[in-house]
Amino acid sequence: MLNKEKEEMTKATNVVEMTAGDNSMSAFDVERVRADFPILEQTVYGRPLVYLDNAASSQKPRQVINAMSEAYETYYSNVHRGLHNLSQRATDGFEAGREKIARFINAGSDDEIVFTRGATEAINLVAATYGRAFLGEGDEVIISHMEHHSNIVPWQMLRDEKGITLKVVPIDDDGNFLLDEYEKLLTPRTKLVAVTHISNALGTITPMADIVRLAHDRGALVLVDGCQALPHMKVDVRALDVDFYAFSSHKMYGPTGIGVLYGKSDILNTMPPYQGGGEMIASVSFEETTYKAAPHRFEAGTPAIVEAVGLGAAVDYLEALGMDNVAAHESGLLAYATQKLSAVPGLTINGQAKEKAGIIAFLMENAHAHDIGTIVDRAGVAVRAGHHCAQPVMDRFGVAATARASFGLYNTREEVDVLVEALAAVRELLG
Ligand code: 7TS
């Protein structure tokens, strides 16, 4: 390619050049990506759908849908328990999902991947097993002011049950995680630090490497809520040295009903199971039951079999695109949207942290967030309005609700323009 042509291509909207040595697609071509998502082809109220609610849940590419249909049509069966051909193939498909996840996040082994129903269940699992077994009166758990309810309430339940102390790391007016304040909260009684990797309500990327280092210096473990990070950036759990990492499949282009708790093997195997039943035992008699090692001891009952296949297909899809390409595309969108939205009269962005992912929460003068959501919906634009299951951070900013545009790998700058245009209608109607 001529240099000039190359320059034009790098400049062109929505095209991100791949990095040398990357064996993923030759360039991130958003139109090609969009063609993989059948749901995006529709119109809503006669307008092309603009889906900007990816932080709540993302859409599914044909590759994921097809992998799940194929499983149901050709080899569906229960796993781990049948000698017959279908059961073995279903087990292979299910376990391949686990292997793909392990590789995707660079876990040390497949045994470090526990399948759960989602991030919420993954965090509750740690609170209910590690927390109940190893935390007691006066032990401290540190969370941040911008956690989703699913990383607040399980620790409050543990506080009420076991008498632990819950401490909260403050954030500044831009939504930055205050590392100095965090360091001051750490004490020899701190047993666990449970912090989000990316805030779903503000878009802040937390300084995870520093958070982990400081916690480990004091002997505390770290649990990361990675729900909003995994679909948008490369995550290496071993490079980060996190002890637990929780996420949901449905936000990373996979199906609902399945999520993951990554945990270091030596920690997982010290934790007692919390649900008893089939598949998690080594042997059962009325006198005594012994348990399998992790991850199986935490997977009682028939698991989400076809969902694991779908999650594996989502990982294949993301790896083929290349997470660096996805991240670069979305960071371009974030920069563009931030500039465009900031120029809308009367609009304020809630959350302007130094390190941000593709989430923009905003308020408009004289307009309730729900009205914004309803009006832009009429223009085909899907955004979320509300407290985003993060009420404490909304209280921190003195607002009950915000509107939120959150980007995924298939979004374009043209779609941002449609949102901005729709917001002009909000001003006309309400402003
Ligand atoms: N943690 C974070 C940071 C989240 O954003 C969410 C879901 C969860 C945990 C819970 O995930 P689940 O799959 O177990 O429900 N966040 C959102 C949101 O921002 N809008 O709808 C759901």
Side-chain angles (χ1 to χ4, degrees):
M1 196 186 285
L2 292 174
N3 272 349
K4 185 154 189 308
E5 257 178 352
K6 209 169 178 179
E7 234 171 66
E8 285 307 315
M9 211 180 139
T10 343
K11 267 195 252 155
T13 331
N14 304 320
V15 177
V16 178
E17 282 280 275
M18 74 171 228
T19 47
D22 190 337
N23 62 359
S24 52
M25 281 168 57
S26 63
F28 188 90
D29 178 347
V30 75
E31 289 309 325
R32 235 161 78 196
V33 168
R34 290 180 70 78
D36 291 330
F37 290 80
I39 205 168
L40 299 179
E41 286 160 20
Q42 69 189 287
T43 54
V44 174
Y45 307 114
R47 307 282 299 272
L49 169 66
V50 173
Y51 187 78
L52 299 177
D53 195 16
N54 294 284
S57 202
S58 59
Q59 302 300 345
K60 320 303 168 200
R62 216 181 294 277
Q63 289 82 341
V64 168
I65 299 166
N66 290 350
M68 294 178 76
S69 298
E70 191 201 348
Y72 278 126
E73 286 175 13
T74 62
Y75 63 86
Y76 174 75
S77 173
N78 211 328
V79 290
H80 293 148
R81 52 192 89 185
L83 283 177
H84 58 79
N85 178 283
L86 287 193
S87 179
Q88 286 175 19
R89 282 156 64 199
T91 303
D92 288 348
F94 176 73
E95 289 299 333
R98 198 191 304 275
E99 283 160 27
K100 287 173 188 182
I101 283 289
R103 190 185 63 220
F104 190 55
I105 64 173
N106 195 29
S109 117
D110 306 349
D111 294 341
E112 298 187 317
I113 306 301
V114 181
F115 282 134
T116 63
R117 276 195 304 127
T120 300
E121 192 176 72
I123 298 167
N124 275 276
L125 191 161
V126 177
T129 64
Y130 178 84
R132 279 210 193 117
F134 302 124
L135 300 188
E137 182 87 34
D139 285 337
E140 296 162 1
V141 171
I142 296 181
I143 59 176
S144 86
H145 209 131
M146 58 187 148
E147 298 308 317
H148 187 277
H149 296 164
S150 61
N151 197 27
I152 301 173
V153 184
W155 309 115
Q156 288 175 325
M157 291 161 86
L158 197 66
R159 178 185 65 191
D160 297 345
E161 188 184 321
K162 305 283 292 187
I164 63 159
T165 303
L166 198 53
K167 291 175 155 182
V168 181
V169 182
I171 56 175
D172 68 15
D173 290 344
D174 287 331
N176 289 298
F177 180 96
L178 294 174
L179 207 54
D180 291 352
E181 298 300 322
Y182 161 63
E183 196 168 0
K184 285 186 215 152
L185 292 180
L186 286 161
T187 77
R189 295 301 307 264
T190 308
K191 291 286 167 23
L192 184 76
V193 173
V195 170
T196 193
H197 205 167
I198 293 180
S199 155
N200 69 315
L202 303 173
T204 307
I205 304 176
T206 54
M208 198 45 71
D210 291 328
I211 292 171
V212 174
R213 182 178 46 80
L214 291 167
H216 285 175
D217 283 352
R218 310 297 196 290
L221 299 186
V222 178
L223 177 149
V224 181
D225 175 353
C227 251
Q228 299 294 345
L230 213 65
H232 307 294
M233 62 198 251
K234 202 173 251 173
V235 171
D236 181 331
V237 290
R238 275 193 292 174
L240 282 172
D241 197 24
V242 294
D243 302 290
F244 301 106
Y245 199 95
F247 55 95
S248 292
S249 151
H250 70 93
K251 293 185 201 284
M252 53 182 289
Y253 312 100
T256 53
I258 190 166
V260 171
L261 173 69
Y262 158 82
K264 287 180 179 163
S265 268
D266 53 345
I267 301 173
L268 286 179
N269 282 316
T270 62
M271 289 160 46
Y274 80 133
Q275 289 179 346
E279 278 307 298
M280 48 79 72
I281 52 86
S283 74
V284 177
S285 72
F286 286 121
E287 289 72 39
E288 194 196 13
T289 291
T290 55
Y291 306 122
K292 282 185 182 157
H296 305 292
R297 66 167 54 189
F298 301 114
E299 295 179 0
T302 298
I305 301 164
V306 176
E307 288 76 6
V309 171
L311 175 56
V315 167
D316 288 342
Y317 187 78
L318 288 170
E319 283 185 336
L321 289 178
M323 286 312 292
D324 288 341
N325 295 334
V326 169
H329 171 69
E330 292 180 8
S331 101
L333 273 179
L334 173 68
Y336 182 77
T338 303
Q339 186 206 345
K340 286 279 173 172
L341 287 171
S342 304
V344 173
L347 187 148
T348 320
I349 293 177
N350 198 34
Q352 304 251 34
K354 282 187 219 93
E355 299 289 333
K356 263 195 80 172
I359 291 174
I360 304 184
F362 59 93
L363 297 151
M364 285 176 81
E365 270 168 23
N366 306 326
H368 190 279
H370 287 109
D371 294 331
I372 300 175
T374 308
I375 295 168
V376 303
D377 177 52
R378 285 278 153 179
V381 183
V383 296
R384 184 169 173 189
H387 55 58
H388 314 296
C389 301
Q391 279 181 351
V393 78
M394 308 304 282
D395 292 345
R396 161 70 178 76
F397 288 97
V399 294
T402 58
R404 181 188 68 184
S406 52
F407 304 113
L409 45 78
Y410 36 62
N411 290 125
T412 66
R413 296 183 190 200
E414 290 74 16
E415 289 184 312
V416 172
D417 294 339
V418 175
L419 169 67
V420 170
E421 227 174 84
L423 292 175
V426 172
R427 273 184 64 77
E428 262 166 45
L429 283 167
L430 303 173

